[in-house]
Amino acid sequence: MANYSINSVLHHHPMLLHDPVASPLRPVKVFTSFHSFPSSCTVNHRSLHVSTARWCCSASSCSSRCCFRLRGCKWKQVVRSCSITDIVIASDESYGNKQVVSLTPRLYGYVLKNVREPEILRQLREETASMRGSQMQVSPDQAQLLAMLVQILGAERCIEVGVYTGYSSLAIALVLPESGRLVARERDPKSLDVAKKYYQLAGVSHKVDVKLGLAEDSLESLILNGEAGSYDFAFIDAEKRMTQKYFELLLQLVRVGGVIVIDNVLWHGKVADPLVSDSKTISIRNFNQQLMEDKRVSISMVPIGDGMTICRKI
């Protein structure tokens, strides 16, 4: 959890107030700020309350108050060690103390069990899992959402920027009509070979115009060929520092009422951490802010996967 302006209430079951805490936490006498999330938490009646001051643990039955420092600097370690269910509440009371579920490993496992993943996609996912960079593959719940958006739109012409091994593009191609077309561009030949193999196995190769090369050049060529305003749907999942450029080109190619989806808009939570200032994070942060002010589209940022923003061209 970064240095966010939020409070959380975390409920856990088997762990008692005086149970020893696993390795991610260790008692310290004096708390000093660490990494990017100085936060506080208090344990009362089997609830863990978190605010943005420091990590602290106390209970009415405890004879002393003890503070903890996170060793791994990762919120998920606390989640795993406590076996808890996260409830996040915005600190701004104007939101009405709405409780929002935050996915724990157990709850996310439940979500994945409720994804209708076609067998061919499962095979592709499992093969990709053993490859370098497998974390770049969209999750099954993301792919299911993308496919549903294509179906809701009644889309026939789609574009994907960044294919990797083809999980998202295959999910889209499977729901396109026989006359549908998906233009897909990828710059890594090894991963593209895997994608092509699965297009063939799934019987959708005739729907996918997939090529190796830079997406920017391909998108500009489509515009020069008179295809502006002729696409229904586009998905961006490529070089993050190029997201704004890809978006501008796709906004020309997608029709009014069409949809553009951008992946990784939450960037592992780094976008909300003011102490993170690498070039990719800054690019995504700036893009998100520009999109908020862009009157050419209506938008919805969805906390699925690493965050996706759905844009509808006005």
Side-chain angles (χ1 to χ4, degrees), residues 174-201:
L174 286 170
V175 298
L176 282 175
E178 283 300 305
S179 59
R181 180 192 182 207
L182 170 63
V183 174
R185 296 294 180 265
E186 171 59 46
R187 64 181 184 179
D188 178 55
K190 184 177 179 180
S191 59
L192 192 58
D193 286 342
V194 177
K196 289 179 178 178
K197 179 178 74 173
Y198 278 90
Y199 298 150
Q200 187 68 36
L201 289 171

Side-chain angles (χ1 to χ4, degrees), residues 13 28-29 61 103 116 123 138 168 182 195 209-210 222 308:
H13 27 90
V28 292
K29 291 183 179 180
S61 58
L103 292 182
R116 297 177 179 176
Q123 293 173 18
V138 300
S168 53
L182 170 63
D209 173 15
V210 60
L222 292 175
M308 298 170 74

Side-chain angles (χ1 to χ4, degrees), residues 239-296:
E239 170 55 49
K240 306 313 166 189
R241 284 168 290 200
M242 290 292 292
T243 298
Q244 185 67 49
K245 180 64 174 180
Y246 295 145
F247 178 76
E248 292 298 332
L249 292 170
L250 289 170
L251 202 57
Q252 296 180 59
L253 289 163
V254 169
R255 63 174 172 82
V256 172
V259 167
I260 302 172
V261 179
I262 304 97
D263 196 18
N264 303 113
V265 295
L266 297 181
W267 199 232
H268 319 299
K270 294 178 182 179
V271 289
D273 188 342
L275 298 182
V276 178
S277 58
D278 63 274
S279 59
K280 287 187 178 181
T281 301
I282 291 174
S283 294
I284 296 169
R285 192 181 286 147
N286 290 342
F287 172 76
N288 289 341
Q289 182 58 45
Q290 291 170 18
L291 202 55
M292 271 291 292
E293 301 166 0
D294 196 329
K295 303 304 181 184
R296 299 171 296 175

Side-chain angles (χ1 to χ4, degrees), residues 23 26 34 45 51 57 77 81 92 143 175 250 282 290 294:
S23 60
R26 91 179 148 85
F34 57 92
H45 305 297
S51 62
C57 186
Q77 290 181 309
S81 67
D92 186 343
V175 298
L250 289 170
I282 291 174
Q290 291 170 18
D294 196 329

Side-chain angles (χ1 to χ4, degrees), residues 84-310:
I84 53 183
T85 299
D86 281 345
I87 301 296
V88 179
I89 304 174
S91 59
D92 186 343
E93 293 183 358
S94 67
Y95 288 95
N97 293 320
K98 174 65 178 178
Q99 296 184 355
V100 181
V101 172
S102 180
L103 292 182
T104 62
R106 177 183 295 179
L107 187 54
Y108 186 51
Y110 180 81
V111 170
L112 292 176
K113 288 179 181 178
N114 284 275
V115 173
R116 297 177 179 176
E117 182 181 37
E119 175 63 20
I120 190 66
L121 283 177
R122 182 193 64 78
Q123 293 173 18
L124 171 55
R125 171 172 55 81
E126 291 181 352
E127 179 171 336
T128 302
S130 63
M131 295 177 58
R132 179 182 178 184
S134 60
Q135 75 279 0
M136 294 189 293
Q137 178 177 255
V138 300
S139 58
D141 47 323
Q142 285 182 290
Q144 182 173 253
L145 176 59
L146 293 172
M148 179 169 283
L149 289 172
V150 169
Q151 290 176 304
I152 290 172
L153 280 170
E156 294 191 4
R157 291 169 60 82
C158 304
I159 301 175
E160 179 170 282
V161 177
V163 174
Y164 187 45
T165 59
Y167 192 90
S168 53
S169 55
L170 180 55
I172 292 170
L174 286 170
V175 298
L176 282 175
E178 283 300 305
S179 59
R181 180 192 182 207
L182 170 63
V183 174
R185 296 294 180 265
E186 171 59 46
R187 64 181 184 179
D188 178 55
K190 184 177 179 180
S191 59
L192 192 58
D193 286 342
V194 177
K196 289 179 178 178
K197 179 178 74 173
Y198 278 90
Y199 298 150
Q200 187 68 36
L201 289 171
V204 297
S205 294
H206 61 289
K207 300 180 187 179
V208 185
D209 173 15
V210 60
K211 291 180 181 177
L212 180 69
L214 297 176
E216 182 180 0
D217 295 340
S218 294
L219 297 178
E220 289 175 344
S221 294
L222 292 175
I223 293 170
L224 291 174
N225 289 339
E227 297 187 44
S230 67
Y231 288 85
D232 306 297
F233 178 87
F235 179 48
I236 304 174
D237 187 13
E239 170 55 49
K240 306 313 166 189
R241 284 168 290 200
M242 290 292 292
T243 298
Q244 185 67 49
K245 180 64 174 180
Y246 295 145
F247 178 76
E248 292 298 332
L249 292 170
L250 289 170
L251 202 57
Q252 296 180 59
L253 289 163
V254 169
R255 63 174 172 82
V256 172
V259 167
I260 302 172
V261 179
I262 304 97
D263 196 18
N264 303 113
V265 295
L266 297 181
W267 199 232
H268 319 299
K270 294 178 182 179
V271 289
D273 188 342
L275 298 182
V276 178
S277 58
D278 63 274
S279 59
K280 287 187 178 181
T281 301
I282 291 174
S283 294
I284 296 169
R285 192 181 286 147
N286 290 342
F287 172 76
N288 289 341
Q289 182 58 45
Q290 291 170 18
L291 202 55
M292 271 291 292
E293 301 166 0
D294 196 329
K295 303 304 181 184
R296 299 171 296 175
V297 292
S298 55
I299 64 171
S300 179
M301 181 181 284
V302 184
I304 185 173
D306 193 27
M308 298 170 74
T309 296
I310 303 169

